[in-house]
Amino acid sequence: MVITTLAGAGAVILGVLAHSWLDRGRRGHRSAADLQLAAYQELLSRYARLMGAIRQAPDQGSAWSDDLAGWDVALVRVGLLAPAPVAVEADRFGRSFASFLERVRRDAGPAGPQLGQSEFQEYADGLDRAQKHLVAVMRRSLGVHRRTW
């Protein structure tokens, strides 16, 4: 009787230890996914704010250039926290956006020729497509496979 009681208690203890170990691993995985999601949200939010400011006043570089540091930090954060496919796609997106910003800076304002509305829209449409692709890769990394657009 004592042996079965001790064996039962031992089994309960092992079960509790195994559950806590497995649960801790699950929580660690969940918190990593939560960090990734927060980084993705920050990057996309910064992009939206910058594009909104640029669309409103492309020739007012000083009005939106202050947000570029935050954009760079958000891009680096995604690169550090995300799985490799997302990091690669985020880097591509960041390079495309940097090219767009350079073109807007160079061509906007009194020092250079104005960037035409159709040319601006063409660049913005390309960035929108790249953003949708990046979001799809981000969603896959979080286990969301359904397209919603």
Side-chain angles (χ1 to χ4, degrees):
M1 173 117 162
V2 173
I3 293 175
T4 55
T5 303
L6 288 176
V12 168
I13 290 171
L14 284 175
V16 168
L17 290 174
H19 175 72
S20 66
W21 180 73
L22 290 172
D23 190 48
R24 183 183 62 202
R26 235 186 346 257
R27 275 195 315 249
H29 174 70
R30 196 69 239 144
S31 68
D34 290 344
L35 288 172
Q36 288 174 3
L37 181 59
Y40 299 166
Q41 289 171 333
E42 178 67 17
L43 180 71
L44 296 172
S45 173
R46 295 242 179 222
Y47 169 72
R49 279 190 296 229
L50 278 167
M51 283 302 287
I54 292 168
R55 285 180 195 274
Q56 288 177 358
D59 59 341
Q60 300 292 318
S62 61
W64 48 264
S65 64
D66 295 341
D67 286 337
L68 289 177
W71 159 258
D72 288 338
V73 168
L75 192 58
V76 168
R77 187 171 178 221
V78 167
L80 292 173
L81 293 173
V86 177
V88 167
E89 199 56 45
D91 184 58
R92 272 192 207 124
F93 181 67
R95 289 175 194 267
S96 296
F97 191 49
S99 171
F100 170 75
L101 291 174
E102 183 59 35
R103 180 68 191 262
V104 169
R105 273 197 208 120
R106 185 179 66 232
D107 290 348
Q114 285 291 339
L115 187 62
Q117 182 63 29
S118 63
E119 190 176 12
F120 181 91
Q121 193 58 47
E122 186 178 319
Y123 275 105
D125 290 345
L127 283 172
D128 287 344
R129 284 189 299 277
Q131 179 193 15
K132 285 181 181 178
H133 184 68
L134 175 61
V135 168
V137 174
M138 289 173 168
R139 290 172 59 92
R140 278 194 299 274
S141 79
L142 295 170
V144 180
H145 300 289
R146 220 178 67 230
R147 285 182 78 172
T148 58
W149 63 85

